[in-house]
Amino acid sequence: MSCQCGHFEKLAPPLAKQDGAYFASDRLTWVDFIIFDLLETHSEFAAYDFGTKHLVSSDILTTTFPRLANFYKQIAARPAFVRHRQSKNRFPYTVPNMPKPAGKQQK
Protein backbone atom coordinates (compact mmCIF):
# COMPACT_ATOMS: atom_id res chain seq x y z
CA MET A 1 0.00 0.00 0.00
CA SER A 2 1.24 3.41 -0.75
CA CYS A 3 2.09 5.94 1.90
CA GLN A 4 -1.11 7.92 1.27
CA CYS A 5 -3.08 5.19 3.05
CA GLY A 6 -1.38 6.16 6.29
CA HIS A 7 -2.58 9.72 5.76
CA PHE A 8 -6.13 8.60 5.00
CA GLU A 9 -6.09 6.28 8.02
CA LYS A 10 -5.68 9.38 10.19
CA LEU A 11 -8.61 11.09 8.44
CA ALA A 12 -10.94 8.06 8.48
CA PRO A 13 -13.84 8.09 10.91
CA PRO A 14 -12.98 6.52 14.30
CA LEU A 15 -13.86 2.81 14.55
CA ALA A 16 -16.39 3.50 17.31
CA LYS A 17 -18.30 5.89 15.03
CA GLN A 18 -17.87 4.18 11.66
CA ASP A 19 -21.30 2.65 11.20
CA GLY A 20 -22.75 5.20 8.84
CA ALA A 21 -19.76 7.55 9.19
CA TYR A 22 -18.16 9.07 6.11
CA PHE A 23 -15.07 11.09 5.28
CA ALA A 24 -16.42 14.54 4.45
CA SER A 25 -19.95 14.72 5.78
CA ASP A 26 -22.70 12.91 7.66
CA ARG A 27 -23.80 11.41 4.33
CA LEU A 28 -22.17 9.64 1.39
CA THR A 29 -20.28 12.08 -0.89
CA TRP A 30 -17.93 11.88 -3.85
CA VAL A 31 -14.98 11.90 -1.40
CA ASP A 32 -16.13 8.51 -0.09
CA PHE A 33 -16.28 7.14 -3.63
CA ILE A 34 -12.73 8.35 -4.34
CA ILE A 35 -11.34 6.84 -1.12
CA PHE A 36 -13.19 3.58 -1.79
CA ASP A 37 -11.81 3.41 -5.34
CA LEU A 38 -8.28 4.07 -4.07
CA LEU A 39 -8.57 1.28 -1.50
CA GLU A 40 -10.11 -1.15 -3.98
CA THR A 41 -7.39 -0.45 -6.55
CA HIS A 42 -4.66 -1.02 -3.95
CA SER A 43 -6.31 -4.23 -2.74
CA GLU A 44 -6.74 -5.65 -6.23
CA PHE A 45 -3.22 -4.67 -7.29
CA ALA A 46 -1.76 -6.36 -4.21
CA ALA A 47 -3.38 -9.64 -5.25
CA TYR A 48 -1.33 -9.89 -8.48
CA ASP A 49 1.62 -12.27 -8.72
CA PHE A 50 4.47 -10.59 -10.56
CA GLY A 51 6.68 -13.66 -10.39
CA THR A 52 8.60 -12.40 -7.41
CA LYS A 53 8.02 -12.32 -3.69
CA HIS A 54 5.00 -10.12 -2.98
CA LEU A 55 6.12 -6.71 -1.86
CA VAL A 56 2.64 -5.99 -0.54
CA SER A 57 0.35 -8.44 1.20
CA SER A 58 -3.23 -8.45 -0.01
CA ASP A 59 -4.43 -8.31 3.61
CA ILE A 60 -2.32 -5.26 4.51
CA LEU A 61 -5.45 -3.12 4.59
CA THR A 62 -6.95 -5.07 7.50
CA THR A 63 -3.68 -5.54 9.38
CA THR A 64 -2.18 -2.07 9.02
CA PHE A 65 -5.10 0.29 8.46
CA PRO A 66 -8.08 -0.88 10.56
CA ARG A 67 -10.10 2.32 10.16
CA LEU A 68 -9.75 2.25 6.37
CA ALA A 69 -10.51 -1.47 6.30
CA ASN A 70 -13.70 -0.93 8.26
CA PHE A 71 -14.70 1.99 6.00
CA TYR A 72 -13.97 -0.15 2.90
CA LYS A 73 -16.10 -3.04 4.19
CA GLN A 74 -18.95 -0.68 5.13
CA ILE A 75 -19.06 0.89 1.65
CA ALA A 76 -18.51 -2.42 -0.19
CA ALA A 77 -21.49 -3.95 1.63
CA ARG A 78 -23.93 -1.33 0.33
CA PRO A 79 -26.46 -3.05 -1.97
CA ALA A 80 -25.72 -0.80 -4.96
CA PHE A 81 -21.97 -1.51 -4.66
CA VAL A 82 -22.58 -5.25 -4.40
CA ARG A 83 -24.73 -5.18 -7.55
CA HIS A 84 -22.15 -3.10 -9.43
CA ARG A 85 -19.20 -5.29 -8.41
CA GLN A 86 -21.07 -8.41 -9.59
CA SER A 87 -22.30 -6.78 -12.79
CA LYS A 88 -21.06 -7.67 -16.27
CA ASN A 89 -20.78 -3.92 -16.88
CA ARG A 90 -17.97 -3.55 -14.35
CA PHE A 91 -14.58 -3.34 -15.96
CA PRO A 92 -12.22 -5.92 -14.48
CA TYR A 93 -9.06 -4.65 -12.85
CA THR A 94 -6.08 -5.47 -15.04
CA VAL A 95 -2.42 -4.53 -15.14
CA PRO A 96 -1.39 -3.37 -18.62
CA ASN A 97 1.54 -5.30 -20.08
CA MET A 98 1.46 -7.79 -17.22
CA PRO A 99 4.80 -9.64 -17.00
CA LYS A 100 4.63 -13.41 -16.95
CA PRO A 101 5.54 -14.98 -13.58
CA ALA A 102 9.07 -16.45 -13.37
CA GLY A 103 9.19 -20.00 -14.67
CA LYS A 104 6.20 -19.52 -16.97
CA GLN A 105 7.95 -17.50 -19.66
CA GLN A 106 7.95 -18.93 -23.14
CA LYS A 107 11.28 -19.42 -24.90
Side-chain angles (χ1 to χ4, degrees):
M1 286 270 160
S2 68
C3 61
Q4 71 232 66
C5 286
H7 174 71
F8 291 127
E9 175 74 7
K10 293 175 191 172
L11 298 174
L15 288 173
K17 297 181 180 180
Q18 272 203 344
D19 290 336
Y22 305 104
F23 267 84
S25 178
D26 59 348
R27 60 187 172 85
L28 191 64
T29 65
W30 63 271
V31 174
D32 300 301
F33 289 106
I34 299 230
I35 299 295
F36 179 83
D37 184 59
L38 172 84
L39 297 173
E40 184 170 54
T41 300
H42 281 311
S43 296
E44 290 188 12
F45 187 77
Y48 273 87
D49 178 10
F50 291 99
T52 59
K53 182 179 176 186
H54 281 295
L55 299 175
V56 178
S57 169
S58 59
D59 66 346
I60 193 168
L61 187 61
T62 56
T63 58
T64 309
F65 305 109
R67 291 164 67 175
L68 287 177
N70 196 38
F71 170 81
Y72 178 82
K73 289 175 192 171
Q74 172 190 326
I75 298 297
R78 295 175 69 91
F81 272 85
V82 172
R83 283 192 307 274
H84 171 71
R85 294 173 88 203
Q86 295 172 348
S87 166
K88 289 185 260 179
N89 296 331
R90 180 177 185 247
F91 291 106
Y93 182 83
T94 59
V95 176
N97 304 315
M98 177 71 177
K100 294 189 187 302
K104 295 184 179 180
Q105 297 177 349
Q106 295 178 352
K107 293 183 181 182

